[in-house]
């Protein structure tokens, strides 16, 4: 059912890229390439698999030297440190050695944004970075923690499933693990709760889960759907704390 995967190398390459300089967070219309890149920036990285909304924060560590972080809701990670930020002659560039992702772009006064190419091991994609912050995801109460269950795949095999749910300043996020397939940190999207009803999608494997939280908040009784098939899956909270995803630096 699940493709054997480890936290999508492609998603990792997107998020943990190093970033370079961008203009100051003065009013966007007043920003010029000669100004400091210090500030908050965001842009949509559109790939065949998924659109990743990147959020970048840059500070000036010393005159002419910058440091920053990058994150994305779609990868479930924030605060990854950027390396080799470079800002010279109106050109912004950055890379992340651990994921071999790079960006090079120039300031476009008409668009009030940096426009360039974001290169990953899986392909090169256009990226425009504009001043601003990525809005946080909704904060969903009552789900934080680690949940475990066993998926009986039509009597053929049984797979242990783990949900890790955590909330912080970026909202509530859920990562899924399938230990028996050595798959960890599988990304999810559209996490929602309507009363006691919880649902989310798993885009990478075209899966979806829907279930009802018990009145004591200890279990979620629901169904896992994938490839046109649905299977019962009961998740039990095993801890009220879920470790945040490990940061790759």
């Amino acid at each position: 059912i699940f493709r054997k995967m480890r936290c999508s190398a492609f998603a990792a390459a997107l998020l943990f890229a190093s970033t370079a300089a961008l203009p100051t967070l003065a009013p966007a219309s007043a920003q010029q390439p000669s100004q400091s890149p210090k500030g908050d920036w965001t842009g949509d990285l559109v790939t065949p698999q998924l659109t990743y909304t990147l959020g970048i924060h840059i500070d000036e560590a010393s005159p002419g030297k910058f440091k920053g972080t990058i994150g994305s809701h779609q990868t479930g990670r924030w605060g990854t440190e950027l390396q080799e930020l470079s800002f010279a002659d109106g050109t912004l560039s950055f890379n992340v050695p651990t994921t071999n992702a790079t960006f090079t772009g120039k300031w476009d006064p008409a668009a009030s944004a940096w426009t360039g190419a974001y290169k990953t091991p899986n392909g090169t994609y256009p990226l425009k970075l504009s001043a601003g912050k990525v809005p946080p995801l909704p904060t969903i109460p009552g789900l934080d923690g680690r949940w475990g269950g066993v998926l009986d795949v039509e009597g053929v095999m049984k797979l242990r499933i783990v949900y890790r749910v955590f909330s912080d300043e970026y909202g509530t996020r859920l990562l899924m693990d399938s230990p028996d397939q050595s798959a960890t940190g599988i990304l999810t999207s559209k996490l929602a709760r309507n009363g006691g009803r919880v649902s989310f999608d798993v885009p990478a494997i075209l899966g979806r889960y829907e279930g009802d939280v018990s009145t004591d908040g200890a279990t979620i009784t629901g169904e896992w759907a994938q490839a046109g098939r649905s299977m019962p899956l009961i998740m039990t909270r095993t801890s009220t704390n879920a470790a945040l995803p490990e940061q790759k630096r």
Side-chain angles (χ1 to χ4, degrees):
I1 293 294
F2 295 102
R3 285 186 278 169
K4 185 174 182 179
M5 56 166 56
R6 304 177 191 275
C7 187
S8 173
F10 182 67
L14 301 174
L15 175 52
F16 305 116
S18 230
T19 304
L22 304 165
T24 358
L25 253 191
S29 60
Q31 294 170 1
Q32 299 295 331
S34 60
Q35 292 181 312
S36 167
K38 180 180 176 181
D40 292 291
W41 304 88
T42 182
D44 288 338
L45 185 65
V46 181
T47 76
Q49 291 80 10
L50 195 63
T51 295
Y52 298 81
T53 298
L54 304 181
I56 298 166
H57 177 77
I58 297 177
D59 287 317
E60 191 166 13
S62 61
K65 301 293 183 181
F66 301 94
K67 64 179 181 178
T69 60
I70 188 170
S72 172
H73 292 318
Q74 288 75 25
T75 61
R77 291 178 172 84
W78 287 93
T80 299
E81 292 182 2
L82 306 174
Q83 300 177 22
E84 300 184 24
L85 279 69
S86 174
F87 175 57
D89 301 324
T91 297
L92 162 68
S93 64
F94 60 80
N95 72 77
V96 176
T98 55
T99 55
N100 297 316
T102 64
F103 173 79
T104 301
K106 288 186 174 291
W107 180 251
D108 182 347
S112 295
W114 296 94
T115 59
Y118 194 107
K119 184 178 181 180
T120 78
N122 295 51
T124 301
Y125 310 95
L127 178 63
K128 179 171 71 175
L129 295 171
S130 303
K133 293 184 177 182
V134 178
L137 294 171
T139 298
I140 301 175
L143 295 181
D144 278 15
R146 183 179 293 266
W147 301 75
V150 177
L151 182 67
D152 188 340
V153 185
E154 300 178 342
V156 176
M157 67 177 73
K158 292 185 178 181
L159 299 173
R160 290 173 295 160
I161 303 297
V162 175
Y163 297 162
R164 290 180 282 129
V165 187
F166 46 93
S167 300
D168 55 22
E169 62 185 293
Y170 302 105
T172 301
R173 290 160 284 157
L174 185 154
L175 294 179
M176 188 172 72
D177 304 333
S178 179
D180 296 316
Q181 297 180 307
S182 301
T184 59
I186 302 170
L187 308 176
T188 69
S189 65
K190 300 180 180 179
L191 175 63
R193 179 173 183 173
N194 185 5
R197 189 72 173 173
V198 173
S199 62
F200 62 86
D201 293 339
V202 187
I205 54 178
L206 302 178
R208 180 173 175 80
Y209 181 77
E210 292 190 40
D212 295 301
V213 181
S214 62
T215 54
D216 61 2
T219 61
I220 306 175
T221 301
E223 288 195 342
W224 171 259
Q226 187 180 10
R229 293 175 291 179
S230 295
M231 291 155 277
L233 178 58
I234 298 174
M235 302 297 292
T236 301
R237 195 196 306 259
T238 59
S239 171
T240 55
N241 295 308
L244 287 171
E246 180 182 352
Q247 299 289 344
K248 293 188 177 182
R249 302 190 184 274

